[in-house]
Amino acid sequence: MAQPDRKLFENLSGKGKAIGVLTSGGDAQGMNAAVRAVVRMGIYVQAKVYFIYEGYQGMVDGGDNIEEVSWESVSSILQVGGTVIGSARCKAFRTREGRLQAAYNLVQRGITNLCVIGGDGSLTGANLFREEWSGLLDELMQNGKIEAEATREYAHLNIVGMVGSIDNDFCGTDMTIGTDSALHRIIEVVDAIMTTAQSHQRTFVLEVMGRHCGYLALVSALACGADWVFIPEYPPEEGWEDMMCNKLSENRARKKRLNIIIVSEGAIDCHNKAITSDMVKDLVVKRLGFDTRVTILGHVQRGGTPSAFDRILASRMGVDCVLALLEATPETPACVVSLCGNQAVRLPLMECVQMTQEVQKAMDERRFDDAVRLRGRSFENNLNTYKLLSHKKNVADLPKSNFTVAVLNVGAPAAGMNAAVRSAVRVGITEGHKMLAVNDGFEGFAKGQIKDIKWGDVGGWTGQGGSLLGTKRTLPAKYFDKIAEQIRTHKINALLVIGGFEAYLGLMEMVEGRGKYDEFCIPMVMVPATVSNNVPGSDFSIGADTALNTITDTCDRIKQSASGTKRRVFIIETMGGYCGYLANMGGLAAGADAAYIFEESFDIRELQANVEHLTEKMKTSIQRGLVLRNENSNENYTTDFIYQLYSEEGRGVFDCRKNVLGHMQQGGAPSPFDRNFGTKISAKAVQWISKKLKETYRKGRVFANTDDSVCLLGMRRRNLLFQPVTQLKDETDFKHRIPKEQWWLKMRPLMKILAKYKTSYDISDAGKLEHVNMCRRKDETGPI
């Protein structure tokens, strides 16, 4: 039953309203997911929904370019890159005559609600159109094109924007639709290039997109550990040529067989002169004589299928866009649906556009520090982290802390663990600590599998999957004596534990052991890393995004395998223990018809209803169905049972196949999200350790026995927070190894709505129009 403080959207009806959706400007992966969400949510609330083909050009031309669509119109487009409704630059819309014709075409169909998916230029054009709307209608009436009654009936135009741009160049949102997918394309190329570069000891200069914004270059440099990066917001200082060449030479002297330099296409020096990839290549060849090649990625970055992150982001934004249009009044300003940390927010469109323009103005006036700050906290953190990890200081320049910090992995392997270890080691060395690596978790700790780890030892770790340190699920309690002995022997002053639920349990055991062992009275911090995403205190865990992409890619391939055959339904089992995150979010990203999870109990009646629902859908033009099941969702309704039920009940309408994805979800190279999340969260954890070491150092030793000296660092909505593990006890279901409350369960109705189920959707967090500066928080790092 709905709680009294929950705001449900059932009372928001779109009956009698018409919504037009268009994509404009450059295309971006994930635009189709946004279009699909707008169409299906619009139809769900009983509004009419229209495609406006070819962006503003289609709006001006009218005719067949504006077409009413049905539920089935957006089937099978979720996994398609680009935009199926087309996008075009339109000179005519920039003139009043063009906008007058566009207004006439919209009024003819009763469209007074527009969802615009594009960049700042497209959204600025939409806002101008809205401001002129009443004047355009008056002019149409005076010209005899429309009746006075139409002028009154369609008196107001509502505009809501979604930002689709691979460059992530729009202020007010942490991530634009398409950015994560573009990073996937870049990292795929970088990973491939690194193998050939190592073979021949080559230097590669990679040029990536970003004429006015260096986000793609910066984050891909962070994700692959590039030697140097050029971006427009942070040009290199005078004499950069010497500094870059010296760094490349030092790396080669340390037996590094390759160098990667990433150049944003809009890169400039501190005098606003362009820095090109060819210029960088010629410099390296001339000064150092290195075998150097240039690779310009170009439109490869716009292509391919959208990542899981972009599909989920676009689906969330698309649904919220429809809600914003339904709630809009003549007084509310045109807004843009944005992402702030892990929360969807609405911001005034023109505030965001003005701040975006301020960034360019700051760069033109060579106020580069202001440009970085205006890009937002996420961009600033990425830049600071890159600077911290890429440039090794001379030993003489490092502070001497006399503290020793040990790093270990605990639990099952998760992609991104190695990036987290690399970050921890390098930040620790920069802070002046002696860094130790512990092999094979707490078990290896007890056996003394501990060694010094240096800056160069972790080179090239960011792109490697699994755990190079080795990891085990063993808990520490039975090894307390030996672990205490190792802490004494190696004079360990702090612990960084990177792992999943076992790491969380392990730290709790260490806290309990403090009463008997003084050696455990040291600062300890945990960074969550597990594909299951089941650690209390954090919305995300390192490795979960990679697993989600594996599930999504596999679902795409499985659905495609049935192409051209008769109607077919696939039953797919995912990992996650009792946590349904992978099944639920994988279902949302892959366009599943149902996802069975432990957190939401189901019975035979619901299974029967799902089969009947799917049977009805299969009688239309729908050809394929997808059902996901979390491995521990129900002990009796197994994957085999569900497969047999669907096979029997769907007989004559569709046939069934089943797949158990298994450990492929734990394997593979980490996604850009996991590389960067692991890198940034681990750097922050080590900085916290440094602070705690100074606070707890008394009389020649470290002694930390308070609850806040053993913390879990997790992302909560918009912020990264350090939370004492003892305080997280009440939030934990220890029997099933999951948090008692999980944010992603709010996404569950969204998946059902997009699969044509009637359900209630809690919109308590939506509907709040914020201002751009309100969206920012002191510790916010953004989702990547």
Side-chain angles (χ1 to χ4, degrees), residues 492-524:
I492 293 169
N493 305 114
L495 276 185
L496 171 60
V497 183
I498 300 164
F501 206 85
E502 289 83 4
Y504 170 62
L505 293 175
L507 281 194
M508 291 186 115
E509 289 186 358
M510 296 286 278
V511 172
E512 288 169 13
R514 280 178 164 182
K516 187 177 176 184
Y517 300 93
D518 279 357
E519 290 84 358
F520 299 166
C521 294
I522 56 175
M524 302 183 219

Side-chain angles (χ1 to χ4, degrees), residues 387-400:
K387 288 191 287 187
L388 200 61
L389 298 177
S390 61
H391 302 298
K392 184 184 179 185
K393 291 182 181 176
N394 295 321
V395 177
D397 297 331
L398 291 172
K400 192 69 179 166

Side-chain angles (χ1 to χ4, degrees), residues 505-782:
L505 293 175
L507 281 194
M508 291 186 115
E509 289 186 358
M510 296 286 278
V511 172
E512 288 169 13
R514 280 178 164 182
K516 187 177 176 184
Y517 300 93
D518 279 357
E519 290 84 358
F520 299 166
C521 294
I522 56 175
M524 302 183 219
V525 64
M526 176 191 163
V527 168
T530 167
V531 299
S532 302
N533 199 31
N534 64 332
V535 177
S538 188
D539 291 352
F540 295 110
S541 296
I542 298 164
D545 183 72
T546 305
L548 207 51
N549 277 288
T550 301
I551 291 166
T552 307
D553 292 345
T554 308
C555 288
D556 287 350
R557 292 182 185 195
I558 287 170
K559 285 199 289 185
Q560 195 176 37
S561 72
S563 179
T565 66
K566 60 181 180 177
R567 291 177 171 84
R568 183 165 288 169
V569 173
F570 294 95
I571 315 294
I572 296 173
E573 181 181 296
T574 66
M575 292 175 82
Y578 285 98
C579 180
Y581 175 83
L582 290 179
N584 189 73
M585 302 308 274
L588 183 56
D593 296 278
Y596 300 115
I597 61 172
F598 170 78
E599 291 88 347
E600 191 175 281
S601 58
F602 56 96
D603 57 21
I604 194 69
R605 288 181 294 276
E606 185 170 342
L607 288 169
Q608 183 65 34
N610 291 157
V611 176
E612 289 169 2
H613 184 265
L614 205 48
T615 305
E616 287 305 308
K617 281 173 77 173
M618 287 287 185
K619 289 176 182 174
T620 65
S621 59
I622 306 292
Q623 294 285 321
R624 289 181 291 284
L626 186 67
V627 175
L628 271 65
R629 178 189 176 273
N630 165 248
E631 58 185 346
N632 288 344
S633 56
N634 189 294
E635 62 180 338
N636 295 314
Y637 300 135
T638 62
T639 303
D640 284 333
F641 177 90
I642 291 172
Y643 162 69
Q644 288 164 1
L645 177 71
Y646 274 74
S647 297
E648 181 61 33
E649 297 298 319
R651 195 186 298 276
V653 181
F654 57 80
D655 64 358
C656 265
R657 297 288 186 274
K658 68 172 178 178
N659 296 80
V660 178
L661 301 187
H663 281 76
M664 67 184 292
Q665 294 160 87
Q666 278 185 334
S671 66
F673 182 103
D674 280 330
R675 297 183 195 201
N676 290 305
F677 185 57
T679 297
K680 292 195 327 190
I681 197 171
S682 201
K684 197 171 180 73
V686 173
Q687 288 166 341
W688 176 88
I689 283 174
S690 297
K691 178 169 164 274
K692 282 291 172 189
L693 285 169
K694 288 172 188 170
E695 289 174 3
T696 57
Y697 184 73
R698 301 182 200 95
K699 298 178 183 178
R701 63 171 288 202
V702 172
F703 188 80
N705 64 346
T706 56
D707 284 351
D708 67 353
S709 62
V710 182
C711 284
L712 180 145
L713 174 56
M715 175 177 260
R716 285 284 181 97
R717 291 164 74 90
R718 304 186 188 189
N719 303 314
L720 278 176
L721 300 175
F722 289 95
Q723 304 145 96
V725 291
T726 51
Q727 289 181 16
L728 293 173
K729 274 185 183 178
D730 293 339
E731 299 180 24
T732 310
D733 175 354
F734 287 99
K735 182 182 176 183
H736 299 106
R737 297 160 58 91
I738 55 173
K740 288 178 181 175
E741 288 189 16
Q742 300 183 83
W743 69 271
W744 52 265
L745 285 168
K746 284 190 175 182
M747 299 292 105
R748 194 153 173 76
L750 194 150
M751 185 197 77
K752 292 181 178 180
I753 288 167
L754 297 180
K756 214 172 183 177
Y757 285 93
K758 288 288 179 188
T759 186
S760 62
Y761 183 36
D762 181 5
I763 57 168
S764 306
D765 290 339
K768 302 182 186 98
L769 190 67
E770 299 186 12
H771 293 284
V772 177
N773 58 345
M774 286 290 292
C775 178
R776 302 288 162 193
R777 292 291 184 269
K778 187 181 176 186
D779 293 324
E780 181 199 325
T781 65

Side-chain angles (χ1 to χ4, degrees), residues 468-481:
L468 293 173
L469 288 185
T471 180
K472 289 195 175 179
R473 296 176 182 270
T474 318
L475 295 176
K478 60 181 176 181
Y479 298 117
F480 272 175
D481 288 337

Side-chain angles (χ1 to χ4, degrees), residues 476-492:
K478 60 181 176 181
Y479 298 117
F480 272 175
D481 288 337
K482 291 180 180 178
I483 290 173
E485 184 186 333
Q486 294 298 335
I487 290 175
R488 280 196 308 275
T489 303
H490 293 276
K491 297 176 182 173
I492 293 169

Side-chain angles (χ1 to χ4, degrees), residues 78 111 170 288 362 744:
L78 185 62
I111 300 171
F170 193 81
L288 303 174
W744 52 265

